[in-house]
Amino acid sequence: MFRNLRTVLGRICHAKPFHLCERRYLLREPFHPLKRCPKWVCVEDAVKIINSEHLVFVQGGAATPVELVRAMTEHGLCNNLRSVRLFHMCLEDDAPFANPEFEKHFRSISLYVGANVREAVNDGRADYIPIFLHEAPRLFYEKQLVPDIALIHVSTPDARGFCSLGVSADCTRAAVCTAKIIVAQVNEHMPRTHGDTVIHSSHFDLAVKYDCPLPSVASTQPNELEYEIGKLIAQRLIDDGATLQLGIGKIPDAVLHALSYHKDLGVHSEVLGDAMVDLVEEGVITNRNKKKHRGRMVGSMAVGTKKLYDFLHANPFVEMLALNYVNDPRVISEQPKMTAVNSCIEIDITGQVCSDSLGCKIYSGFGGQLDFAQGAAKGEDGHGKAIIAFPSVTSSGESKIQPVLKNGAGVVVTRAHAHYIVTEHGVAQLFGKTLRQRANALIQIAHPDHRECLEKAAFDRLKTNPTKYL
């Protein structure tokens, strides 16, 4: 056995340079023995390899390779490229390729729709793939998507030539494992993170040195109402020793602000943000009770400010892992007292949750909401909680709890998946409730100005007064 192993290793170490399609196997190894050096070029030369009808993967989140995106867009216009397809998660900073004047040159295809491509998607100039985020890497591993080129953003190489994908593991690992050509923007400001982010520079076909701060996404301070919701969730639904998943936004931040007196919380979350850093430094987040990755925070993407990025750099307390693991409901269900907190656009009186569209207009995407709702609700210890939280009314005063969803609204969390619904007026527990009981519970946490109207609508829809079925 050992003789055969030495023979195999000897062949690998003395092999000729590997073909690009073999990279997907070598990337799984912790060390690449061939030491093939990338070709260092200027950014304008790096994007010249992009041709018409190419399929290009663009790393997303705070790891968006902004300079490569800029140069690619100019290259497409100057050389009159046609039908270049760009696959990506939510991108930070500008997305100039989504502007109307580039419609013939580029077509954006999002796995999660950000503000910078939202108009293009709804105008028909860009596309969106509805998908559970834990399944996104499958598109690449099962060869439904085989990128001609992957544009990625990495840290500077260490003494052994290893770089890091930094703040965005998500589906980037899957994309680079299957891409024919890899182009890397190398940036000294990209934090070197632990987990599924390690990649050797020998895998880059072209590399561009471009140092710039990562996109800074500062949280907006929650208002008084949002703080009230956060306090309600923290006090009534989050136990000491719980493992948390929270998204980015005012309500998740409000929840985190209200957790200062909790003990030994853990984090297993698709997105990591600034507010989590404070709880780590206060000794509230310890990950001490986690069954998997004990003593470590787990995330797949990080979006925030320099405070967060500095915290992540060379920090073994944090592991950045791929979406097909982090968002897998089976993995999520194994965490102790798994508590998932997410928000939504609207909910109907039977518990159907719309989170990805405003009527027929796509707003965001499935994201990881149902991944974590399922995983938390199926918690193996029987103490998981799937929470949907939102203010009872919109900024214009319209009720977020509606008799029926708007025409064309997308259901992300079904009636059967909706468990805990929270507004500033209380908590509605829907699991195991009849339609009438659900309607009554939701009406009780609606804004008082809208309750009478909702009661009438519930009577019309359910043919009886729901309060009789408490």
Side-chain angles (χ1 to χ4, degrees):
M1 175 180 177
F2 292 107
R3 182 181 302 169
N4 291 339
L5 180 60
R6 283 196 297 269
T7 301
V8 170
L9 289 175
R11 287 175 180 171
I12 291 176
C13 292
H14 296 91
K16 295 179 181 179
F18 61 90
H19 190 271
L20 289 173
C21 68
E22 295 171 346
R23 180 186 288 113
R24 62 185 181 276
Y25 302 110
L26 295 173
L27 276 172
R28 295 173 184 168
E29 301 299 325
F31 178 70
H32 187 289
L34 299 180
K35 297 286 187 180
R36 183 177 69 95
C37 294
K39 182 179 181 181
W40 291 87
V41 296
C42 67
V43 67
E44 287 75 19
D45 287 342
V47 298
K48 286 180 180 178
I49 60 171
I50 299 174
N51 292 318
S52 295
E53 299 186 5
H54 267 169
L55 192 159
V56 180
F57 170 80
V58 183
Q59 189 175 1
T64 303
V66 175
E67 184 64 6
L68 286 173
V69 170
R70 179 201 61 77
M72 174 193 67
T73 307
E74 293 179 0
H75 166 66
L77 180 63
C78 294
N79 293 277
N80 199 28
L81 299 187
R82 287 288 189 268
S83 303
V84 178
R85 293 168 294 157
L86 306 176
F87 281 84
H88 53 83
M89 297 284 288
C90 182
L91 301 175
E92 294 298 332
D93 212 84
D94 294 332
F97 54 80
N99 293 338
E101 60 268 29
F102 295 103
E103 182 176 1
K104 295 180 180 179
H105 306 294
F106 298 100
R107 191 160 189 88
S108 162
I109 305 173
S110 301
L111 301 177
Y112 188 86
V113 178
N116 50 11
V117 298
R118 190 173 294 143
E119 182 182 332
V121 169
N122 288 310
D123 285 351
R125 293 180 282 106
D127 289 315
Y128 156 59
I129 298 177
I131 192 168
F132 300 128
L133 285 191
H134 80 273
E135 293 186 328
R138 285 180 53 191
L139 297 174
F140 300 96
Y141 287 132
E142 296 179 2
K143 298 184 180 179
Q144 190 165 340
L145 298 177
V146 180
D148 294 293
I149 298 153
L151 303 180
I152 64 173
H153 192 176
V154 300
S155 69
T156 53
D158 65 12
R160 292 182 173 85
F162 286 96
C163 299
S164 172
L165 296 170
V167 296
S168 175
D170 49 68
C171 59
T172 304
R173 169 68 72 187
V176 297
C177 283
T178 53
K180 299 172 186 176
I181 295 174
I182 298 175
V183 181
Q185 178 180 317
V186 180
N187 183 1
E188 66 178 16
H189 294 275
M190 177 65 76
R192 186 177 296 278
T193 57
H194 294 257
D196 290 336
T197 54
V198 178
I199 181 170
H200 198 271
S201 57
S202 61
H203 295 300
F204 307 152
D205 297 285
L206 297 172
V208 174
K209 188 74 170 76
Y210 187 84
D211 297 325
C212 61
L214 299 187
S216 181
V217 183
S219 300
T220 306
Q221 195 74 3
N223 59 32
E224 186 176 341
L225 184 149
E226 289 154 346
Y227 273 124
E228 186 64 31
I229 296 172
K231 189 187 301 182
L232 192 61
I233 293 171
Q235 292 177 350
R236 293 180 55 178
L237 296 176
I238 298 179
D239 302 323
D240 288 341
T243 304
L244 305 179
Q245 176 263 330
L246 299 110
I248 296 293
K250 292 183 180 181
I251 288 180
D253 281 354
V255 173
L256 290 166
H257 282 301
L259 292 172
S260 295
Y261 296 101
H262 280 62
K263 296 178 182 178
D264 292 326
L265 298 177
V267 172
H268 182 100
S269 185
E270 149 198 327
V271 184
L272 305 181
D274 280 27
M276 292 179 182
V277 179
D278 296 330
L279 291 181
V280 173
E281 293 174 347
E282 292 170 13
V284 175
I285 292 177
T286 65
N287 301 286
R288 187 174 297 159
N289 295 331
K290 290 175 69 177
K291 181 177 177 181
K292 307 187 81 165
H293 307 278
R294 182 171 295 164
R296 287 164 290 172
M297 294 172 62
V298 168
S300 195
M301 297 168 273
V303 180
T305 65
K306 188 174 184 296
K307 170 184 175 180
L308 174 64
Y309 306 143
D310 288 347
F311 169 76
L312 293 174
H313 180 64
N315 189 349
F317 187 73
V318 184
E319 284 187 291
M320 301 295 289
L321 304 176
L323 284 170
N324 53 328
Y325 177 83
V326 175
N327 282 44
D328 187 333
R330 295 168 297 183
V331 174
I332 295 165
S333 69
E334 295 181 37
Q335 302 302 337
K337 300 179 182 177
M338 186 69 214
T339 305
V341 182
N342 290 284
S343 194
C344 71
I345 292 172
E346 62 176 344
I347 181 172
D348 78 359
I349 56 174
T350 69
Q352 294 188 109
V353 179
C354 171
S355 303
D356 69 343
S357 68
L358 295 165
C360 294
K361 298 288 187 181
I362 294 296
Y363 185 80
S364 54
F366 264 66
Q369 186 167 118
L370 191 55
D371 294 342
F372 279 93
Q374 278 189 291
K378 293 180 179 180
E380 291 183 357
D381 60 3
H383 296 292
K385 296 186 183 79
I387 301 166
I388 303 293
F390 50 88
S392 61
V393 295
T394 66
S395 57
S396 61
E398 181 184 6
S399 178
K400 284 202 166 191
I401 299 174
Q402 290 286 325
V404 294
L405 298 180
K406 290 182 177 63
N407 185 39
V411 175
V412 170
V413 176
T414 72
R415 299 182 184 105
H417 290 106
H419 281 209
Y420 292 91
I421 310 299
V422 182
T423 73
E424 71 274 20
H425 298 291
V427 179
Q429 207 283 80
L430 304 185
F431 180 67
K433 300 288 178 65
T434 67
L435 293 178
R436 298 179 181 92
Q437 289 172 327
R438 286 163 173 260
N440 182 71
L442 289 168
I443 290 168
Q444 297 310 308
I445 65 168
H447 193 282
D449 293 348
H450 295 282
R451 289 178 189 172
E452 183 178 352
C453 180
L454 289 171
E455 286 172 357
K456 291 178 180 177
F459 183 83
D460 291 340
R461 183 174 180 182
L462 303 174
K463 309 306 179 188
T464 187
N465 186 340
T467 58
K468 293 181 180 179
Y469 292 85
L470 291 175

